[in-house]
Amino acid sequence: MNQWNNEQMNQSSQLRIGIFGASGYGGSELLRILLFHPHAEVVLVTANEHAGKAVSAVHRNLYGLTGLSFASAPEDLSELENLDCLFLALPHGAAMEIAPRVPERVKVIDLSGDFRLSEMDVFKHHYKLAHTAPGLQSEFVYGLTETNREAVKGAKRIANPGCFATATLFALAPLVKGDLIAGRVIVDAKTGSSGSGAKAAANTHHPQRANSFYAYKPFTHQHLPEIEQELKRVGDWTSELVFMTHSLPVPRGIFASCYVELKNELTHEDVRGVYQDFYHDDFFVRLVEGSPDINHVKTTNFCDIGFAVQGRSLVVFSALDNLVKGAAGQAIQNMNLMFGFDETMGLMLAGSNP
Amino acid sequence: MNQWNNEQMNQSSQLRIGIFGASGYGGSELLRILLFHPHAEVVLVTANEHAGKAVSAVHRNLYGLTGLSFASAPEDLSELENLDCLFLALPHGAAMEIAPRVPERVKVIDLSGDFRLSEMDVFKHHYKLAHTAPGLQSEFVYGLTETNREAVKGAKRIANPGCFATATLFALAPLVKGDLIAGRVIVDAKTGSSGSGAKAAANTHHPQRANSFYAYKPFTHQHLPEIEQELKRVGDWTSELVFMTHSLPVPRGIFASCYVELKNELTHEDVRGVYQDFYHDDFFVRLVEGSPDINHVKTTNFCDIGFAVQGRSLVVFSALDNLVKGAAGQAIQNMNLMFGFDETMGLMLAGSNP
Amino acid sequence: MNQWNNEQMNQSSQLRIGIFGASGYGGSELLRILLFHPHAEVVLVTANEHAGKAVSAVHRNLYGLTGLSFASAPEDLSELENLDCLFLALPHGAAMEIAPRVPERVKVIDLSGDFRLSEMDVFKHHYKLAHTAPGLQSEFVYGLTETNREAVKGAKRIANPGCFATATLFALAPLVKGDLIAGRVIVDAKTGSSGSGAKAAANTHHPQRANSFYAYKPFTHQHLPEIEQELKRVGDWTSELVFMTHSLPVPRGIFASCYVELKNELTHEDVRGVYQDFYHDDFFVRLVEGSPDINHVKTTNFCDIGFAVQGRSLVVFSALDNLVKGAAGQAIQNMNLMFGFDETMGLMLAGSNP
Amino acid sequence: MNQWNNEQMNQSSQLRIGIFGASGYGGSELLRILLFHPHAEVVLVTANEHAGKAVSAVHRNLYGLTGLSFASAPEDLSELENLDCLFLALPHGAAMEIAPRVPERVKVIDLSGDFRLSEMDVFKHHYKLAHTAPGLQSEFVYGLTETNREAVKGAKRIANPGCFATATLFALAPLVKGDLIAGRVIVDAKTGSSGSGAKAAANTHHPQRANSFYAYKPFTHQHLPEIEQELKRVGDWTSELVFMTHSLPVPRGIFASCYVELKNELTHEDVRGVYQDFYHDDFFVRLVEGSPDINHVKTTNFCDIGFAVQGRSLVVFSALDNLVKGAAGQAIQNMNLMFGFDETMGLMLAGSNP
């Protein structure tokens, strides 16, 4: 085999990209996409426990596609001065230590929850951590591209949304904006096993997980406050939100079933119109007939939305890939906008059937 | 290998059992259990398309465990006179043609939906069939053993509950009986692929199903009316029920997440008490801490129930095996009671870990 | 959502592509790749049972990515005159009826077994069909790109290899060319469920397949003769080949374990050298340390090869995606060469981890 | 729910059973079976890391079926004096420290590899451990029940076979006994993920494992020497054995494809006769037409054997559940014989379809 030569496509106009925490699944997907992005060059990937190893020895899917090796995260972050964009794909709590020290000119996209919440006590309650960079939070734009596109375009720092939050917000935002919701909202959300990360653990042990389905973190999932915060920005959100997370026995995918009581009866066409209007210009949100299926969005940056309505009772289904539209893909979509590219650049990832 | 000899354990006190439609998954599970039941002898198994074949050629798990062969269903049902109990494990619509012709002395347990609903127009609406034996419906006892035990004991004919209905009713019945529910109830239910039956179909094609999750039959699943009918029997049910079914990429298991608004705030201990009291004498309903998991009930007759409560917001989770507690196991539990045996007889099926 | 506009990238230099049988999995993968190929424009896709339907209604992964609809296959194939390349992704036996009627100027790539075998009696024996276009067979070049690149470049018609054959040939060809094999060769091959095609069937019924592993077609798989035919072209193949196929409970992937007795003892480095030399210029064959894994090649056009050697005993492992390198991907790789493009064009498909 | 009362069936004739290492998967399966064994009472289960916890908190399938709690392993093994039988379900290397200290009257069944190999240098080579109780090894009978039944009946200590070894030996023993094999034998063996044990690890991390298939430990698996040792006992084994292990993406099951060159051509009936004669009295070995399937033996104590023959080329397929016939089930089968019970007692575990 011949090594693929990234540099064939590199030009002086390439963005210079760094990824911290590139051995995890978020980092894995950033690499899968960015290595083929026509205007990006990944120049630094860190993973302390794998420092010195070839990226393709850890992400064996990338063997032959990159000559990059993992580095340790630099102590002195002024070394990052020559980057254009830094992705932080680290466990919760790490980005708030790093972000304050990143040189001013480097745009930052954080995939963790560190900078998503504007209220520090809410952050502390849900992440069980005291925030060490509260002053910086207001500089971060919440990167749900479709509801926040203009702010993203002008942002220097992005707090990339959580996977569950992304799926839920896509289902609810049009209804909140249209002020259509009465009463409490139930979100029954399910995630694939990669949502637990790349480290082996009891809940992702294959013999246990392969035939399992169960709920976890009832009422307390840390994505709940970012959902409510963003819904309040989109419209006049005053409902109670019951948010329940479950574990699916598949590697990838999030499916959210969102149960809404409408203020008034709506027809199928009415509801369809609400979503069509809201997502009219959004390439990555697809409105489908009937139910979406995580099988049709796996490995892609699409969120598929379907619904059923009966009188004042509406259920909205959203399906996406937790690692792409729910993490790395959306992060790159944001990067595209921050640097003036078409938001689909590098993200025309067709899923496969089967 | 030596063929296992059923008759070693057969005695004059054995029930003589027939199973119509024994090549499907319901029939498969009836056989798996009844072949080892200390007081049952399966003497007739029908499956028209497999007539003449050895049972173990179709249910290859049973090879070496039975010498039975499939027969055609007899034209003249008076031939069934020598049976004690007949299980009907046929597609919807078949039992109502057969039941009227079964000899009076033979007790009948129907696993289909034909005799579950007391209102014929509701039946017609949900099953898209005109009922051909409406007069017989009132002779059928709805066989949710735990809520209906005394009636089952005296029954000659049982309408065995649907799998989704069983899971949902176990979660909601104690709350309805206690008159604890305010407002509408959301049931987000998920089933494994064996719920679609033993015949290959597009929605159970392995390449599609293995990585999928999707919703189906929104607002219209045929188990909805039997749930409401039984809840009205258990207590004063007046709430709206939103019932949504989804497909899981596992062969077996049902998991129902039931979202309830309580009339008054309850503590964890309060709720626990409600369920403990209700299921105090019910061996097959297990109250678990946290969430149940379909992995822990697969191949067993258990329904595991867990819950979480926060103020007036309660979610109850129930997990069972759709083919056992949701079909064949519950049917045999009913048979045990109808014939005066301990209801656990032949049903001490421990699941496995993993 | 906005429909993606294929034509943005279409230029006068685009190849005009037709696909017959585009509703199957081979067709699905051809579409997934060709819709994004910089020098291809798919202008005709046929699927008789779906004629008139949108492609994205069948291949729901492609929703938003194509406005194409399925057509019926034309009766009069002179209508294909305006195509540059026609892919036949039809069941065995169909291509031999069609190929003779395709206009001379249209290059044809057949994904079925119809034109792979030069001996008609062998074809008849393995496919249980009398060949209806035996005179045309010699015009077809066997499209295992890596062993046949020069012939492919000059070909007007390609018989695209079978998926098992591709995996096996990649493992054995270097050894045969080097005349290193003594005694009989055992190939223990395993395939994912998509190898059975897009139609639901008993052996791909999810409840059965999800926990299964079994062998099928012992000694008689129809890919056996094409393997032996090609090995004889590559070198002096005189060994007996025991070829055994098995079914894996995953949607995609082929893994072949090939057991060889070497004429002489070889070291690990010796064997590595044999493969490195053979595949030196082949981007899509990756030599890995230890065992390959189907997980690392899924959805890609790579074949990963690993091996272990002990004295004169050698086992070679090859892993590929049956629908890509084993079907559609290799077909497009051949198309690229036939039309003078770089063979990797449109095929830089990075797999994902996980 | 009511707790099931083990003691209902306990009588003075019950064996008193201890299990060391009962939190692992071998222990889990011993418990699943022994809790329902009509002549066994489990009185001691140890698991140091879970000491004090209810068994059903770890093996949640057993909730409601046992009131046992885990204990720490006693320091002074004379406390075991009141046991009749002790199962050691510990990691390799632990049993050899314990066995010498178990009171003489207590029969011991070791599920690890510690006492399977009679040659200490072979043990050291494959287990990377110096044996600390070499003198005791000769007291252990290799517990492949079907080939060693008489010795098992008289044994006080059993070395229970490895899962791969069991599958391979069942396939090859009849051929070796009949002196039918010429040339080298290839065994291509595949195991489910539970073979790696109950502890989470990188190779059993669900996101990785769910779509994977790969080979491991080429030529060096530690079950190889016990296979050869036992084949030499069964007949005149002089062939080379190539033994290759692979990982399947299912929780349970072993499938071995065994490729043999016969000394002389045999017909299908000839081969069938060889296996029928050999296993004539063996309930748990089932000879099937065509290929066996791990799906049909999961959770059971059966080993299913099938084969195909063509001239002098024979392939034998064997399928079993690695945790039952490959571990706990076979161990209990041995216990039955050691204590004079029917070997099937407690082991009439019908698998399920699906």
Side-chain angles (χ1 to χ4, degrees), chain B residues 1-4 25 28-29 32 36 58-65 194 211 251-252 272 279-283 285-289 291-292 296 299 302 323 348 350-354, chain D residues 1-4 25 28-29 32 36 58-65 194 211 251-252 272 279-283 285-289 291-292 296 299 302 323 348 350-354:
Chain B
M1 52 173 291
N2 288 315
Q3 181 78 23
W4 183 58
Y25 287 153
S28 173
E29 290 289 277
R32 172 171 76 96
F36 298 91
V58 172
H59 302 306
R60 291 177 59 185
N61 55 309
L62 298 178
Y63 184 46
L65 297 171
S194 61
N211 290 303
R252 303 171 78 119
R272 190 163 184 87
Y279 293 115
H280 187 265
D281 297 323
D282 295 316
F283 180 75
V285 180
R286 304 190 293 196
L287 197 52
V288 304
E289 280 302 315
S291 174
H296 304 137
T299 76
F302 289 110
L323 297 177
M348 297 301 294
S352 61
N353 171 34
Chain D
M1 52 174 290
N2 290 314
Q3 181 79 20
W4 184 57
Y25 286 153
S28 174
E29 291 289 277
R32 172 170 76 95
F36 299 90
V58 172
H59 302 306
R60 292 176 58 184
N61 56 308
L62 298 178
Y63 185 46
L65 297 170
S194 62
N211 290 302
R252 302 170 78 118
R272 191 165 181 86
Y279 292 116
H280 186 267
D281 297 322
D282 295 315
F283 180 75
V285 180
R286 304 191 294 196
L287 197 53
V288 304
E289 280 301 315
S291 175
H296 304 136
T299 75
F302 289 111
L323 297 178
M348 297 301 294
S352 61
N353 171 35

Side-chain angles (χ1 to χ4, degrees), chain D residues 172-185:
Chain D
L172 297 182
L175 304 175
V176 172
K177 190 181 175 202
D179 197 20
L180 301 170
I181 298 177
R184 66 183 201 150
V185 171

